Amino acid sequence: MADTSLNPFMRAQQSFKEAVETLGVEPGVYEILKQPMRTFEVAVPFIRDDGTLQVFTGYRVQHNDALGPTKGGLRFHPDVNADEVKALAMWMSVKCALLGLPYGGGKGGIACDVDQLSEGEIERLSREYIRAVSLVIGPDKDIPAPDVSTNPQIMAWMVDEYSRIRGENTFGLITGKPLVIGGSEGRVEATGRGLVFATRQLAKEMGIEFDHARVAVQGFGNVGSVAASIAYSMGAKVVAVSDKDGGLYNAAGIDVNDLLEYKRTNRNLTGYPKAEPIGNRELLELPVDILFPAALENQITADNAQNIRAKIVGEGANGPTTPEADAILFDKGVMVVPDVMGNSGGVTVSYFEWVQNQSRFYWSENEVNQRLQEYMSRAMAAMHRMHERYGVTLRKAAYLVATDRLAQAMRVRGWLK
Ligand code: GLU
């Protein structure tokens, strides 16, 4: 039998199904949530540096807008496909509802390999993507943001292109922008900061001292590198980190600031002299207190879950653990901070950025971080209440909170009768 648990779209459907059944709400809630309201597939033509024209496939998915305009990142990755983007949009609906943000879930992306593109090509591709989806996005409709392999510079080109099409500056179109054109203080660090915050809180409840914990981090992008750096600054021992080309291990701990400096000059982690090379798979199985999978989907599966030795898995990536692996971890007593909670700091500060854009009034980094903490604590408390009430995993509890809110919104809006 094919392992459907590796298909993130089917997994997202299954999670909503279980939540609707556990809550005992109208079956129509599942009928609506089991697929996105709108899925756009676009052809994105752009001119390569050598003058040839190439066409890439792009997507934008709007899962459910009962709670507000849809919101979610854009990823540039060779594996981007319709089912993946649909699942990621569904997970955004859960994240936004869980955090109490006035948004539904959206997501988008382009199937491409940024390592094969020059900066000029990435700019032209980004602008063409916005032209292709400009009719369906907007500050009150659907608000993109960064995700895997996209960054503030790409957001800047995109908001510029949209503003040109509209004939007016529309900074509220997109979040994760550079500060000088309406970005928010704290947005770049928000996902990693939130991940450390949520994981540290759970560790405390389990009697594990995060500030002295041994930590391994898979993925050294915007989420993993910030989480590693904050954990290191708190005193935790970061024994291993990795990126897509492989990892580094030092049982005595890695100086994360030094490594960040090395990455700035060398562009990747390879060859760093103060640690041993380690494979991505081995990294996941290290004897640590805390494991942060902060790369891509399907990293902890039925194949390796049994070998995980961490006490807590704090999910920075979206969908790193399959349901079968989840069950194995649960039986082993490994606690999991689910992705929809663990990486929700990003979209939460994106919401703050959008509020600042719409009100033209900007906050200090302190205000941003303090509000981030408030939103995350509230969501963690709601998740915990469901965890205790229904005796389910934290992931299932997060889905219960979110599905209940989505059901309430659809009910009062009259969608269910
Ligand atoms: N891409 C991020 C996520 O998966 C952030 C989305 C946003 O800021 O809208 O949560």
Side-chain angles (χ1 to χ4, degrees), residues 1 49 75 143 148 195 221 226 266 274 289 311 319 324 348 366 395:
M1 201 176 77
D49 289 343
R75 67 169 55 177
I143 305 128
V148 173
L195 177 61
V226 173
N266 296 273
K274 296 174 207 164
D289 301 301
K311 298 190 183 88
E324 283 166 31
T348 302
N366 239 352
R395 189 187 315 280

Side-chain angles (χ1 to χ4, degrees), residues 271-287:
Y272 181 67
K274 296 174 207 164
E276 307 284 312
I278 187 175
N280 255 307
R281 197 187 155 96
E282 282 168 273
L283 176 142
L284 295 172
E285 299 175 6
L286 287 171

Side-chain angles (χ1 to χ4, degrees), residues 135-354:
L135 280 178
V136 300
I137 59 173
D140 293 308
K141 265 190 205 170
D142 182 15
I143 305 128
D147 196 79
V148 173
S149 292
T150 53
N151 56 37
Q153 175 60 74
I154 292 174
M155 300 304 113
W157 291 321
M158 288 180 164
V159 83
D160 181 70
E161 191 63 29
Y162 187 81
S163 297
R164 287 186 194 199
I165 293 168
R166 289 284 304 263
E168 59 195 23
N169 276 327
T170 317
F171 289 164
L173 166 78
I174 209 159
T175 58
K177 300 177 295 292
L179 274 184
V180 70
I181 52 165
S184 176
E185 294 286 354
R187 173 63 186 87
V188 170
E189 302 80 18
T191 314
R193 182 179 299 281
L195 177 61
V196 170
F197 175 74
T199 309
R200 192 167 181 241
Q201 191 152 316
L202 180 67
K204 196 167 156 201
E205 284 156 24
M206 292 169 66
I208 298 168
E209 244 193 286
F210 184 91
D211 300 1
H212 295 110
R214 292 166 64 80
V215 177
V217 187
Q218 186 198 43
F220 209 61
N222 180 42
V223 182
S225 70
V226 173
S229 161
I230 296 177
Y232 176 73
S233 70
M234 287 173 164
K237 196 178 274 186
V238 179
V239 295
V241 301
S242 67
D243 63 13
K244 61 181 186 308
D245 302 319
L248 298 167
Y249 173 66
N250 184 338
I254 295 171
D255 178 339
V256 177
N257 294 333
D258 188 58
L259 181 61
L260 281 167
E261 193 51 51
Y262 180 87
K263 195 190 163 180
R264 256 189 294 276
T265 28
N266 296 273
R267 290 197 69 197
N268 57 33
L269 306 176
T270 322
Y272 181 67
K274 296 174 207 164
E276 307 284 312
I278 187 175
N280 255 307
R281 197 187 155 96
E282 282 168 273
L283 176 142
L284 295 172
E285 299 175 6
L286 287 171
V288 290
D289 301 301
I290 317 267
L291 172 65
F292 287 133
L296 289 168
E297 297 96 270
N298 296 339
Q299 299 302 303
I300 306 177
T301 65
D303 289 340
N304 62 354
Q306 202 55 255
N307 306 336
I308 301 294
R309 286 187 277 172
K311 298 190 183 88
I312 300 178
V313 173
E315 296 183 337
N318 289 306
T321 311
T322 66
E324 283 166 31
D326 238 352
I328 297 171
L329 295 179
F330 180 78
D331 287 342
K332 278 166 63 87
V334 179
M335 288 297 282
V336 179
V337 181
D339 49 3
V340 289
M341 184 70 242
N343 69 30
S344 63
V347 69
T348 302
V349 177
S350 273
Y351 165 56
F352 300 160
E353 178 174 332
W354 177 81

Side-chain angles (χ1 to χ4, degrees), residues 3-248:
D3 185 358
T4 55
S5 78
L6 292 175
N7 179 320
F9 176 50
M10 293 168 95
R11 259 156 65 188
Q13 289 185 319
Q14 184 60 24
S15 305
F16 277 130
K17 189 160 199 260
E18 284 172 16
V20 165
E21 285 167 5
T22 307
L23 290 165
V25 292
E26 302 88 324
V29 173
Y30 175 63
E31 291 306 309
I32 293 180
L33 295 178
K34 77 179 179 195
Q35 69 274 295
M37 289 179 143
R38 290 177 283 271
T39 299
F40 304 99
E41 182 180 319
V42 291
V44 191
F46 76 110
I47 306 292
R48 297 297 299 255
D49 289 343
D50 65 6
T52 57
L53 181 135
Q54 193 163 357
V55 183
F56 282 165
T57 304
Y59 301 90
R60 187 72 196 169
V61 172
Q62 300 166 351
H63 172 244
N64 183 285
D65 62 5
L67 288 166
T70 47
K71 179 92 193 79
L74 288 174
R75 67 169 55 177
F76 288 180
H77 194 275
D79 296 341
V80 164
N81 63 71
D83 270 8
E84 183 191 64
V85 184
K86 284 181 190 176
L88 289 160
M90 288 157 98
W91 291 336
M92 285 309 301
S93 285
V94 177
K95 240 181 265 189
C96 294
L98 172 65
L99 268 288
L101 310 179
Y103 290 138
K107 201 80 173 201
I110 304 177
C112 68
D113 183 354
V114 281
D115 292 343
Q116 306 299 321
L117 300 172
S118 70
E119 179 161 323
E121 289 173 331
I122 294 174
E123 174 174 355
R124 292 195 290 281
L125 180 61
S126 302
R127 289 185 184 274
E128 289 296 342
Y129 173 81
I130 289 300
R131 295 167 84 96
V133 297
S134 63
L135 280 178
V136 300
I137 59 173
D140 293 308
K141 265 190 205 170
D142 182 15
I143 305 128
D147 196 79
V148 173
S149 292
T150 53
N151 56 37
Q153 175 60 74
I154 292 174
M155 300 304 113
W157 291 321
M158 288 180 164
V159 83
D160 181 70
E161 191 63 29
Y162 187 81
S163 297
R164 287 186 194 199
I165 293 168
R166 289 284 304 263
E168 59 195 23
N169 276 327
T170 317
F171 289 164
L173 166 78
I174 209 159
T175 58
K177 300 177 295 292
L179 274 184
V180 70
I181 52 165
S184 176
E185 294 286 354
R187 173 63 186 87
V188 170
E189 302 80 18
T191 314
R193 182 179 299 281
L195 177 61
V196 170
F197 175 74
T199 309
R200 192 167 181 241
Q201 191 152 316
L202 180 67
K204 196 167 156 201
E205 284 156 24
M206 292 169 66
I208 298 168
E209 244 193 286
F210 184 91
D211 300 1
H212 295 110
R214 292 166 64 80
V215 177
V217 187
Q218 186 198 43
F220 209 61
N222 180 42
V223 182
S225 70
V226 173
S229 161
I230 296 177
Y232 176 73
S233 70
M234 287 173 164
K237 196 178 274 186
V238 179
V239 295
V241 301
S242 67
D243 63 13
K244 61 181 186 308
D245 302 319
L248 298 167

